[in-house]
Amino acid sequence: MKGRILCVDDEDIVIRSCRRVLGDDEFEFEAAQSGIDALKQIDETDFDVVVLDIMMPKMDGIEVLQRVKESHPDLEVIMITGLSQVESAVKSMKLGACDYLTKPFDPDELKLVVERALERRRLLQENINLKTEVSSKYRFESVVGASHSMQEVFRMIAKCAPTNSTVLLTGESGTGKELVARAIHYNSLRKEKSFIPVDCTSLSENLLESELFGHVKGSFTGAVSNKRGLFEVANGGTLFLDEIGNIPVSIQAKLLRVIQEREFKPVGDTRSQTVNIRLIAATNKDLKAMVQEATFREDLFYRLNVFPIRIPSLRERRDDIPALAFHFLNAAAKELDKKVSEISDGAMNVLGNYDWPGNVRELENVMQRAVILATDKAVRRAHLANILGQSSANHLGVPRTGDELKRIKKAAREKSVESIEKAFVIEALKRNGWNVTRSAEETGMQRANFQALMKKHNVRLRGGDEVPDESNPD
């Protein structure tokens, strides 16, 4: 897309010179010969860069710059100045101009400065778009889940997000606790600040303390310079401590002080630093049991457990499996550039009845692998058998409740019917030399209905009407 340039100068010769350099196929060039006219055009048109003379009658370039930055702070402005007005040019830089040129300027220099301004604007816009995309991605309405248990999680997010309360997320590994933490952050008043995640299981005790609180040079072997801790980095934003149940007791005491006093000391420092953060913690452990075992501080537990949210396991929200499966299917197909957009009934039956010990994270991985294995537009039962193992793909699970018993009985009946239907079609075709018309007539079915059963069970004929193609079993 061409960059749109506005040149503002009261001298015709300067505008003509700029037009010769910038008025080619690479840019869209427009001009104004007064500050008032320039402001009007800027309000009516989306310009990328303004080339603005400082010395103009009635309204000089400095005043125009100030008014432009008030109403269009993202617009890049390049000032034109004489050799005697360099001081004014420096002032304009402090007011938000991105660069300046002194008269007489070289055409190549003008083009270079404009191209640099356009690149700066492009990067700025990409950054804004990325922030918007990230914020949109983590709106809690965008988190996949229509089940009652997930709707309750959404309600809890909506209640706590606008506050500064400490949140404790609990649930099995892979349930999406970090996704919920990000949703809380990006729906809070701190969303313009940093979200800093920390995996408390990945660092040793000494490294974790330094990582969280920072250290000063010489505080321990290898501390060759001062280092900012993540509490300091997250100042003003949100710090997410994942798997907090793995933090050593010695670090727990220091963490408690930060939560209570809003201050900390870097390792080896004698001075305290204040901090303003929102803390979200997560764990797949039973912290209450750990308190009883004296492996987790009771006072820290109550400081963290201000607003608890439990994330349900995937087997507790089976109604969400189809939507999640298609969500991950579409994401994987896009990433891998494959035209896979369907999940067969047999494959969906496997997904719905598998217990998912790895929860949502496991489902995401399975769908990505299934898309890789798919040879046409659909993920099929055979692909999942390849990934989960044949026994898992055929296993309907052991019911734990009356509702689960009903669901599994229904799935078993459907599975039995599917097997009988498929065998019925194949045997009819075998008896009739793989001729669809004769097979339909013999079984007393309409040809279209017989073909519909063939399609349902993916029974295809290869080499005319000779043998059934079951290379993509449901």
Side-chain angles (χ1 to χ4, degrees), residues 6 8-10 32-42 52-53 56-61 63-65 67-68:
L6 176 65
V8 187
D9 200 299
D10 60 319
Q33 289 191 282
S34 72
I36 294 172
D37 185 29
L39 292 173
K40 183 180 178 182
Q41 289 193 53
I42 289 168
L52 176 62
D53 188 24
M56 293 188 298
K58 295 184 180 179
M59 183 185 294
D60 66 20
E63 185 178 350
V64 175
L65 172 66
R67 293 178 61 172
V68 166

Side-chain angles (χ1 to χ4, degrees), residues 138-407:
Y138 294 110
R139 287 199 308 265
F140 65 87
E141 312 97 282
S142 300
V143 181
V144 178
S147 62
H148 174 75
S149 57
M150 282 306 294
Q151 290 301 312
E152 180 60 27
V153 170
F154 296 154
R155 282 192 287 273
M156 299 289 275
I157 294 173
K159 287 179 180 178
C160 75
T163 73
N164 281 316
S165 296
T166 300
V167 179
L168 178 61
L169 305 176
T170 59
E172 295 179 10
S173 180
T175 50
K177 294 187 286 294
E178 182 171 340
L179 186 67
V180 171
R182 288 181 182 274
I184 293 170
H185 172 74
Y186 286 107
N187 285 277
S188 75
L189 299 176
R190 298 174 181 265
K191 64 183 178 182
E192 300 300 327
K193 300 294 185 178
S194 298
F195 175 88
I196 306 294
V198 185
D199 182 358
C200 298
T201 62
S202 62
L203 299 167
S204 66
E205 181 175 343
N206 291 336
L207 286 176
L208 181 61
E209 183 178 5
S210 173
E211 195 73 14
L212 291 176
F213 308 118
H215 63 250
V216 296
K217 180 180 179 181
S219 55
F220 55 85
T221 303
V224 296
S225 62
N226 292 344
K227 178 185 176 181
R228 298 170 69 207
L230 293 177
F231 271 97
E232 184 179 352
V233 174
N235 193 34
T238 301
L239 185 65
F240 173 56
L241 298 180
D242 197 11
E243 302 304 345
I244 198 166
N246 294 316
I247 288 185
V249 175
S250 60
I251 305 295
Q252 291 177 24
K254 296 183 178 182
L255 182 59
L256 178 65
R257 175 177 172 80
V258 179
I259 298 173
Q260 288 180 162
E261 308 297 335
R262 297 293 172 180
E263 64 179 33
F264 65 93
K265 289 181 181 178
V267 177
D269 204 343
T270 57
R271 298 163 298 175
S272 294
Q273 296 184 28
T274 58
V275 67
N276 173 22
I277 60 149
R278 200 239 184 102
L279 186 64
I280 302 176
T283 183
N284 60 8
K285 295 185 175 181
D286 185 345
L287 294 187
K288 284 186 178 179
M290 292 180 67
V291 169
Q292 296 299 317
E293 296 164 0
T295 55
F296 200 87
R297 291 180 63 115
E298 184 176 21
D299 46 6
L300 176 59
F301 169 71
Y302 287 115
R303 284 288 182 180
L304 294 172
N305 199 41
V306 175
F307 197 93
I309 301 177
R310 179 181 173 276
I311 317 300
S313 65
L314 191 51
R315 62 184 170 276
E316 296 176 86
R317 46 182 291 219
R318 291 184 186 273
D319 290 348
D320 291 332
I321 289 175
L324 283 164
F326 275 108
H327 173 75
F328 293 135
L329 171 83
N330 293 332
K334 183 178 180 181
E335 179 185 343
L336 298 167
D337 194 25
K338 293 192 68 173
K339 298 186 183 302
V340 183
S341 59
E342 298 177 10
I343 302 173
S344 74
D345 292 341
M348 188 61 79
N349 189 44
V350 171
L351 295 174
N353 290 291
Y354 182 62
D355 270 348
W356 299 109
N359 291 294
V360 178
R361 185 184 298 134
E362 183 182 8
L363 175 58
E364 181 178 12
N365 292 339
V366 165
M367 292 313 299
Q368 184 168 51
R369 289 165 65 188
V371 168
I372 293 171
L373 292 172
T375 55
D376 60 7
K377 64 180 180 180
V379 167
R380 304 186 185 280
R381 184 196 297 269
H383 303 135
L384 299 179
N386 188 298
I387 298 166
L388 299 173
Q390 191 65 44
S391 60
S392 297
N394 293 325
H395 182 53
L396 293 175
V398 178
R400 301 182 184 185
T401 65
D403 287 339
E404 283 196 9
L405 177 61
K406 291 177 184 177
R407 176 182 59 76

